[in-house]
Amino acid sequence: MGSDLARSAAETASLAARLSAGPLMPSRKSAKSEVARFLNEIDDEPVRERLVTSLSSRAAESLFGALLIHSPFLAGLARLEPDHVALTLESAPGERFAALIEDLRQACALAPDDDTVSTAIRQFRRRVAFLVAVCDMGGVWSLAEVTATLTQTADLSIRMALGFILRDLADQGTLKPADRTQPELGCGYVVLAMGKHGAHELNYSSDIDLIVLFDADKAPLKSGREPQSIFVRVTQRLVRLLQERTAEGYGYRVDLRLRPDPGATPIAIAIPSAVHYYETIGQTWERSAYIKARPCAGDIALGEAFLREIAPFVWRKYLDYAAVADVHAMKRQIHAFRGHEMLAVEGHNIKLGRGGIREIEFFVQTQQLIAGGRNAALRVRDTLGGLDLLVSGGWVTADLRDKLVAAYEFLRGVEHRLQMIADEQTHTLPATEQATEFFARFLGFKSRAAFASVLTAHLSIVEAAYALLFEKLPPLSSAKGGLDLITDPPKSSTLALLGDLGFKEPKAAVATVQSWQKLVRGGLRAREGRDRAAELAPALLEALGRTGDADHGLIAFDRLVTRHKQPIELLTLLRAHPGLLELLAQVLGLAPRLADLISRRAHVFDALLEPAFFGDSPSETILSDALGRSLALARDAEDVLDRVRIFGQEQLFLAGVRVLAGTLSADVAGQAFARLADVIVRRLHRWTETTITAAHGRMPAMRTAVVALGKLGGREMTAGSDLDLLLLYDHDPELTTSDGPRPLTGAHYFSRYTQRLISALTAPTSEGMLYEADLRLRPSGRSGPVATHIDGFVDYHRTESWTWEHMALTRARVVSASDGFSTRIDAAIRGILTQKRDRAQTIADVVDMRRAIADDKGDDDRWNLKYARGGLVDLEFIAQATQLIHAANSPSILDTNTARVIENAATLELIDKADVDVLRRAYRLQHDLTQILRLCLVDRFDAKTARPALKQLLARAGELPDFATLDADLIEAQRAVRKVFEKRLGKL
């Protein structure tokens, strides 16, 4: 309570009373004499007396004297309006700013002409400039408060000028606003603040970068008037009111050159034209600029809608490492100018030079461009806020953030003092040591040396951080050295080194690398791509050598870069993150399924660059939120499906790489794959309902649910698992027609609903396929309706279904459902599974089913882990039969997951302990091996022809020293499972 009162008192104290810091006077100069000279020049006695009182404290006198000697601009303002200086020092800063705002509003509201508005804006701007300068130099306001006040001042100036112009148009009858007192509402014309202005970071004497847009269809103009010409004239008039020099000086230097193609477009641009430009030829620097874009005047809602529309241009769906090269190219162009290319003191440009403000901004903005499409939390306008979010997202350490914040605040302070001297948009330090000495004292330093020490320390920190991101990339040459991949025919030393690395065909390896330089088609036809591939080659070959199958890995990499449409993005990514090269080599050498995914969709690598990759497997909430953020940017139905596929592919790849790396167990991977499918099915279920109801309306009292069976139902999915699904529905039986513009009847409605959902999950789009779905476990099987009414579902399973269908139902799980519907479905499934059964008949049916599968699929290949004698089907049938037999008396046996059913049976003593141990161990072993095989292979595993690296990976998954031991262990485990099967269910 006490601290709150103290804070309140401090905020209402006069500015003069709150001054705590300030510039230092030059040597042999006295603040007292400078203040006395200033006071003596004032003719107005009451004003002079007020100033004498305000400047009586040592702090106020010292600051004001230094202001007069160091800043001709501020000294001129003080001498021009001493009465306003007195008001400024006597008032609390916040109250003074509010009073100046009110003066501006009244002046513009009552203004009879442009000249009156122009004068009011210039007076407002210079009075705020004096207030801000004193608050800044006196340590009263933080950098954030200073820049926010400067930004608000610019915003208000633009709004007041535009409001006056729009009211004038309304008076002329050209504009017909709904509310003349607020003509900007719905006016169809918007001013976007760009750069520091848009980010609320405006500097002391900044230009303002604006883009002006209009929507002819929304502008309430008089009939027959041409919007383009009207809004161009409005913009010209607005710029004159802000920029033109008058007897009162100028308001703001206005720069409109950030608009699309400024040399060929009008100063006010139609929104459809702007959208088309950004969607077709917009460049990286324009994406960067729009990070900070903000509607500041006019039709704010229109501006916000425009920014949402071009969000996909700014925020790419993939991690965009190609943007790094573009941003750094801009920075290299900046460095071509004197004072920008090296660290210095005299003549150094603190904005554009090495270690300057722009490098901090680029450091933040580039990482926002890279990852902001995937992580909406990074989409903030201000630099320091962006740094905080990069820390929370794991992209930047807190220590580096703190150092960059300190550097940013210091450099912005220096920038402001430079501009206070003469109200010039300058960022360059004085050219001589003597001049720097004088300026250092304006900053509050006792000497040039003290200032130079702090300045260079900050510049060095910024330069190092920037270089880490852009410039000083680690070398990618082979550690072994001596690899000459250019000479043809290859040197014997190169072939020998490649042999040492593990290449069985060294000549073929060299030929492959050399072929990249000869391509005239495909992804490597561009010189930049060929050069980047050649640069990566030595380190790539060495990394492939560590996979155990270097030749195969190189073939896969060759296929990747030659077939991919834009391999330069992947090659740039690998250049920026050499550690990924090692990981890519492992994937190419061990996992053809994943390698094929990379070759078709290189963006899946994005998931590995997220800092979260090194943490725990993402929870359902994290996955759902991430997918939701991406879909929020979707422009249409096609984009929704593309974004779902991008998200799903990345997450599947992420889980797969974790399994390969040994950081994710196979059991946890099965749950991760199922969790991902749950999130996607749930999201597309809701989206499907939205689209179907938009077209056909809703069935009265309708409820729907997606039920998972099989591997998804049991949360035992692998990288290649299909989705076994069932759609159940219910609705008012008395009303059988939907209420939309194109109504459908009951069964037809829900069939269309299901078909649309399955298409959303399975249809190939420009981003490829995601899942295959299987609806054959529905009551009607392969024929009949694809959706099932809940009553028909229950009746069928109670009266008609076969034992094998109830076996499938033991893995049924509601993934997504209308409110309250899942409770009814769960109860129905539980009722079906707990009904009394004939034990002998159930066992006979299970054995018959297993025998039929063996006849159809075979069971003599032990590495066909699903169908082998003692394989996963035997384990699943034991678990399912145990549930069907015992659920009536022991319903707690029920679970959709095979491993948990075995544990439940052990707890209930329904299976002997020795048999439980056999089943538990065999299930885990074969499930773990299945995860690896599904991840790595598309075809069946053949132990005779399998690559050594894959065998080693399987042995690791089985927690055994080598493949031979694993093979023997698998034989024993399967024999033991078959014994349990025959003991409990009978011989086959």
Side-chain angles (χ1 to χ4, degrees), residues 151-314:
T151 302
Q152 189 177 354
T153 301
D155 283 356
L156 286 165
S157 298
I158 299 168
R159 289 173 189 168
M160 293 300 104
L162 180 58
F164 171 78
I165 295 169
L166 295 177
R167 285 194 299 274
D168 190 36
L169 290 181
D171 291 342
Q172 297 171 20
T174 302
L175 185 74
K176 297 181 177 181
D179 182 354
R180 190 189 177 285
T181 63
Q182 302 180 78
E184 66 277 4
L185 296 179
C187 69
Y189 176 95
V190 63
V191 180
L192 299 183
M194 308 296 287
K196 287 186 170 66
H197 185 191
H200 295 280
E201 297 171 337
L202 209 58
N203 59 44
Y204 189 77
S205 185
S206 180
D207 298 351
I208 52 175
D209 296 302
L210 305 177
I211 292 178
V212 176
L213 304 165
F214 68 88
D215 187 331
D217 294 333
K218 294 185 178 179
L221 297 175
K222 182 180 179 180
S223 177
R225 302 303 298 269
E226 204 283 309
Q228 178 80 68
S229 60
I230 289 174
F231 288 129
V232 165
R233 289 197 294 273
V234 167
T235 307
Q236 291 170 336
R237 191 175 174 187
L238 175 64
V239 171
R240 282 198 301 272
L241 284 174
L242 294 170
Q243 181 171 275
E244 193 173 58
R245 283 193 175 273
T246 70
E248 295 287 341
Y250 75 98
Y252 289 92
R253 296 175 293 266
V254 179
D255 192 338
L256 299 173
R257 291 174 297 175
L258 289 182
R259 70 185 186 275
D261 196 6
T265 55
I267 56 177
I269 299 178
I271 283 180
S273 298
V275 171
H276 177 73
Y277 170 86
Y278 293 124
E279 288 182 342
T280 55
I281 58 175
Q283 300 177 54
T284 297
W285 72 265
E286 290 170 305
R287 294 176 55 209
S288 180
Y290 268 98
I291 290 176
K292 295 178 180 291
R294 171 179 61 86
C296 68
D299 192 337
I300 301 298
L302 177 67
E304 291 173 343
F306 168 74
L307 293 180
R308 286 193 297 271
E309 188 169 4
I310 67 165
F313 159 70
V314 182

Side-chain angles (χ1 to χ4, degrees), residues 15 19 63 67 88-89 129-140:
L15 174 56
L19 298 174
L63 182 146
L67 176 156
T88 298
L89 294 173
F130 189 84
L131 169 66
V132 168
V134 175
C135 288
D136 188 359
M137 290 187 290
V140 177

